[in-house]
Amino acid sequence: MALERTFSIIKPDAVAKNVIGAIYNRFESAGLRIVAAKMIHLSQQQAEGFYAEHKERPFFGALVEFMTSGPVMVQVLEGENAVAKNREIMGATNPADALAGTLRSDYAASIDENAVHGSDAPESAAREIAYFFSDEEVCSRTR
Ligand code: RTP
Ligand code: MG
């Protein structure tokens, strides 16, 4: 199978818990490679744009407030089946439903503060990667 890329965010709660390295270890142990990364503090405009698909949802305001509450790590992960593999490593959106051993089971406190984001499809991955990284910033093995 061809290499695929996905986009990942370590959210403000997990950065505050000082578990960036632990989460990177999970990605690498699963065979995903970090091919771009940076720490940023999202502006309100950046967070609203990133989650625009949820604009009409009742939790949108709280989601934007949380995502701008502290720095995040954003990264591009590359590997076979990267989108689905990352979603599997992350676990369900609500940590109460997340399987034991997943990131959200281990590091998330609630559905609102759930430690990580991962693209839900290859198309959204491409859009989300382009939202945060230029082509030159992605050190992919496929380039
Ligand atoms: P993400 O986009 O952050 O990776 O999470 P996801 O795909 O698992 O979930 P999604 O449906 O895209 O929702 C984005 C974020 O909005 C918050 N949310 N709250 N209270 C609720 O019912 C609710 N539903 C979603 C979560 O923080 C979720 O990560
Ligand atoms: Mg989502």
Side-chain angles (χ1 to χ4, degrees):
M1 190 185 165
L3 287 180
E4 186 175 75
R5 289 184 207 164
T6 192
F7 177 73
S8 158
I9 303 178
I10 301 178
K11 295 185 179 183
D13 56 332
V15 172
K17 282 182 181 145
N18 203 23
V19 292
I20 295 170
I23 292 173
Y24 273 15
N25 196 357
R26 300 281 183 95
F27 296 149
E28 293 182 341
S29 297
L32 295 175
R33 193 171 281 267
I34 297 153
V35 295
K38 60 189 167 194
M39 181 178 277
I40 49 175
H41 195 142
L42 296 178
S43 67
Q44 174 144 342
Q45 191 185 353
Q46 275 177 312
E48 286 176 351
F50 182 74
Y51 277 121
E53 65 183 298
H54 296 308
K55 204 167 54 208
E56 307 303 334
R57 309 283 288 277
F59 56 81
F60 183 68
L63 176 61
V64 169
E65 188 177 341
F66 167 59
M67 290 301 292
T68 57
S69 67
V72 299
M73 282 296 301
V74 297
Q75 47 276 324
V76 179
L77 307 177
E78 188 175 87
E80 288 189 6
N81 213 13
V83 172
K85 192 177 278 185
N86 183 41
R87 297 286 292 194
E88 195 179 316
I89 295 166
M90 288 164 53
T93 307
N94 187 345
D97 301 328
L99 293 179
T102 61
L103 291 172
R104 282 167 167 165
S105 171
D106 289 346
Y107 298 120
S110 68
I111 191 171
D112 299 308
E113 304 201 355
N114 59 3
V116 282
H117 161 80
S119 307
D120 56 15
E123 298 71 31
S124 47
R127 174 171 45 78
E128 291 171 0
I129 290 168
Y131 193 79
F132 285 105
F133 293 103
S134 67
D135 284 349
E136 294 70 32
E137 287 176 313
V138 181
C139 301
S140 170
R141 289 181 295 161
T142 63
R143 286 176 68 210

